[in-house]
Amino acid sequence: DGGITQSPKYLFRKEGQNVTLSCEQNLNHDAMYWYRQDPGQGLRLIYYSQIVNDFQKGDIAEGYSVSREKKESFPLTVTSAQKNPTAFYLCASSPGAASGRREETQYFGPGTRLLVL
Amino acid sequence: EDQVTQSPEALRLQEGESSSLNCSYTVSGLRGLFWYRQDPGKGPEFLFTLYSAGEEKEKERLKATLTKKESFLHITAPKPEDSATYLCAVQASGTYKYIFGTGTRLKVLA
């Protein structure tokens, strides 16, 4: 089955700790995205990547970092600089500009809920 | 500024009572409009993509339509299992970012 996997489902962070959320896709998509979802708010973009070894900041990148060393993987690190990390984190992918396809539908993973101890 | 507004915020329907959800958007050229369903604690599930005004798509009890300023998600004879939050998103021309509305929480009562 093609899809997006995220792990872990729940993650607990202690004060001053960096934590990394995993995102893997086997859809052969070029573009990958990280969103944060808080109650009553729309999805807010943290980082996105259109191609391997390249990524751009989204609207709320402060306190987060990413890497894109492989097409299939786009891990997100929540650093100690992010003072309010409690949220539901969603990873998504789409075919992307490099595919040359018109289809730009984003598909989402199951999410990771991050809680602060 | 590119923007997406969904209404109503919440909607309660009796089983079988048809209704529509609205997604109004302001973008500088529409690349695509997307509808998703999201259940509590889960990732959004893709429903439809619409590209141009006049386009319509259907799936079971759901039908999505698009005009130059808004999209509607029509739900015909809903069932309790249709209860979820429905999200709308747009992608503007010349960008690879997606802008999401805050969603409509739908509750269908048996």
Side-chain angles (χ1 to χ4, degrees):
Chain A
D1 268 343
I4 302 173
T5 57
Q6 291 186 242
S7 62
K9 186 172 182 178
Y10 295 95
L11 186 58
F12 298 90
R13 195 191 89 164
K14 295 180 181 178
E15 287 282 339
Q17 186 181 41
N18 293 352
V19 292
T20 297
L21 285 61
S22 169
C23 177
E24 303 276 333
Q25 56 98 359
N26 61 3
L27 299 168
N28 199 32
H29 285 169
D30 288 304
M32 296 186 75
Y33 304 77
W34 274 106
Y35 293 92
R36 170 178 172 143
Q37 188 174 37
D38 296 281
Q41 298 194 38
L43 274 66
R44 291 185 291 167
L45 182 64
I46 304 173
Y47 269 98
Y48 65 106
S49 167
Q50 289 295 314
I51 200 164
V52 175
N53 292 323
D54 188 42
F55 49 82
Q56 288 79 41
K57 292 181 179 181
D59 301 315
I60 56 165
E62 186 175 349
Y64 301 96
S65 67
V66 294
S67 63
R68 185 85 188 276
E69 298 176 0
K70 297 188 299 181
K71 184 175 182 178
E72 303 79 24
S73 179
F74 192 40
L76 173 74
T77 296
V78 183
T79 74
S80 57
Q82 172 50 243
K83 298 307 179 188
N84 184 24
T86 297
F88 190 50
Y89 290 86
L90 289 161
C91 178
S93 71
S94 68
S99 72
R101 292 158 54 178
R102 183 192 186 194
E103 173 61 55
E104 277 299 332
T105 300
Q106 273 192 329
Y107 296 89
F108 285 85
T112 292
R113 186 164 299 281
L114 176 61
L115 300 166
V116 176
L117 293 177
Chain B
E1 182 184 348
D2 297 337
Q3 193 170 331
V4 174
T5 303
Q6 290 188 246
S7 62
E9 287 188 16
L11 181 62
R12 292 168 68 93
L13 299 174
Q14 289 296 131
E15 185 172 4
E17 180 186 1
S18 302
S19 189
S20 297
L21 313 183
N22 177 262
C23 172
S24 298
Y25 63 91
T26 305
V27 290
S28 50
L30 181 69
R31 186 181 176 96
L33 185 140
F34 310 90
W35 281 100
Y36 295 88
R37 169 195 170 122
Q38 186 175 26
D39 293 299
K42 297 190 176 181
E45 174 190 344
F46 168 69
L47 294 173
F48 303 109
T49 300
L50 302 167
Y51 290 107
S52 53
E55 191 174 357
E56 299 183 352
K57 288 192 177 174
E58 284 188 72
K59 178 182 178 181
E60 295 180 356
R61 295 179 293 281
L62 300 176
K63 179 180 177 180
T65 62
L66 180 64
T67 72
K68 288 187 177 180
K69 294 183 178 181
E70 59 191 349
S71 176
F72 291 94
L73 184 66
H74 306 279
I75 304 177
T76 301
K79 298 181 178 181
E81 53 261 42
D82 295 321
S83 297
T85 296
Y86 291 85
L87 299 174
C88 172
V90 299
Q91 188 182 39
S93 299
T95 177
Y96 294 97
K97 293 170 64 173
Y98 298 75
I99 304 160
F100 282 81
T102 53
T104 293
R105 296 189 311 278
L106 174 66
K107 178 74 172 177
V108 181
L109 305 171

